Amino acid sequence: MGQCGITSSKTVLVFLNLIFWAAAGILCYVGAYVFITYDDYDHFFEDVYTFIPAVTIIAVGALLFIIGLIGCCATVRESYCGLTTFVVILLLVFISEVAVVVLGYVYRAKVEQEVNVSIKKVYDEYNGTNSNAQSRAIDYIQRQLQCCGIHNYSDWQNTHWYEESKNNSAPISCCKTNVGSCTGSLTHPEDLYQEGCEALVVKKLKEIMMYVIWTALTFAVIQMLGMLCACIVLCHRARGPAYELLITGGTYA
């Protein structure tokens, strides 16, 4: 029965190592997704809010690929040194993923405050030209999130761009996609997106953080199972022949 447990642990461990290879690709994808999204929203929060979790999760993905390779070889050979290295690296990765989860929750709680402070400044620096980074960022989120202004389209009346343009309108990016004749005029508010961008930006960033948190949490649980199976195989390897005789009911010659 003991030998059956060892065999089962080895089988599960080999299977988990294959999962680790797949997980490495998934984690790198998640990290890259966060970086790409950060590039679109970087004017609304500090770098640290996504940079640290994204870097950590990509590093974890790279380590998982190495772990899978070490784990497969060590499990098949029942190498004590290899399995010990496997468990130690897996433990470090597990700690890193727990750190990602904690950082994700901390930064998620701070997102709303950060966006509230920065979004008005970004809108004030809007000038409607493609060469202006703030203008590109505002136009992008208004089209992407289908919103207009900070709280609603009327917020544009309090911006420098509105005062300088003197045309009583919001940017074209505020126009609903199904209204072809929209010019952004505030005299036709029905042609403009009604919802403000602040709440939607906060919601989007929180969704990204939760995406990172749940990904890290899921693979952390899988790694706990991997460490458990590796420890069972290690115990079997450490006990040696005396353990084999005990579980088979044999005696020394």
Side-chain angles (χ1 to χ4, degrees):
M1 184 174 178
Q3 187 63 38
C4 180
I6 299 301
T7 303
S8 299
S9 295
K10 287 174 67 176
T11 303
V12 171
L13 196 52
V14 170
F15 178 70
L16 284 174
N17 285 314
L18 297 177
I19 292 178
F20 289 159
W21 279 336
I26 294 172
L27 288 173
C28 288
Y29 169 80
V30 170
Y33 170 75
V34 173
F35 270 117
I36 292 170
T37 307
Y38 157 75
D39 189 51
D40 296 327
Y41 294 85
D42 63 344
H43 292 283
F44 303 101
F45 55 93
E46 296 294 332
D47 295 14
V48 72
Y49 280 83
T50 54
F51 187 70
I52 292 177
V55 168
T56 305
I57 210 166
I58 289 175
V60 166
L63 274 174
L64 274 180
F65 182 81
I66 299 172
I67 287 171
L69 186 61
I70 294 173
C72 278
C73 295
T75 303
V76 172
R77 296 182 180 183
E78 287 192 29
S79 167
Y80 185 83
C81 181
L83 283 171
T84 303
T85 303
F86 173 77
V87 172
V88 170
I89 298 176
L90 205 57
L91 181 60
L92 292 174
V93 171
F94 175 78
I95 293 170
S96 298
E97 288 185 332
V98 171
V100 168
V101 172
V102 173
L103 287 171
Y105 270 110
V106 170
Y107 296 153
R108 187 175 182 272
K110 293 182 178 180
V111 161
E112 187 169 358
Q113 179 184 356
E114 181 66 24
V115 172
N116 289 346
V117 171
S118 61
I119 195 167
K120 188 177 187 308
K121 181 181 177 182
V122 177
Y123 269 84
D124 283 339
E125 293 176 359
Y126 182 91
N127 65 13
T129 63
N130 196 49
S131 60
N132 179 261
Q134 287 79 7
S135 297
R136 291 197 305 272
I138 292 295
D139 286 335
Y140 174 82
I141 65 162
Q142 289 191 153
R143 290 192 180 100
Q144 188 75 11
L145 303 180
Q146 297 186 348
C147 57
C148 184
I150 299 174
H151 303 104
N152 55 57
Y153 59 85
S154 66
D155 291 325
W156 280 104
Q157 294 175 312
N158 303 318
T159 62
H160 296 307
W161 175 81
Y162 180 87
E163 293 172 0
E164 292 173 3
S165 62
K166 298 178 181 179
N167 59 5
N168 193 35
S169 67
I172 298 297
S173 56
C174 278
C175 292
K176 295 178 180 178
T177 54
N178 60 346
V179 182
S181 60
C182 177
T183 61
S185 174
L186 294 178
T187 58
H188 297 285
E190 68 278 2
D191 295 343
L192 309 176
Y193 295 123
Q194 302 298 302
E195 194 168 359
C197 294
E198 182 181 38
L200 294 179
V201 169
V202 169
K203 180 182 177 182
K204 180 69 174 179
L205 294 177
K206 285 186 175 182
E207 285 176 354
I208 294 169
M209 286 299 177
M210 285 306 300
Y211 187 31
V212 172
I213 288 168
W214 280 109
T215 301
L217 201 57
T218 300
F219 289 117
V221 172
I222 295 173
Q223 284 160 20
M224 283 184 66
L225 181 59
M227 285 188 286
L228 177 63
C229 292
C231 286
I232 292 173
V233 177
L234 271 173
C235 289
H236 166 70
R237 178 70 177 79
R239 289 175 181 179
Y243 179 71
E244 291 290 341
L245 287 169
L246 179 64
I247 63 174
T248 56
T251 58
Y252 284 109

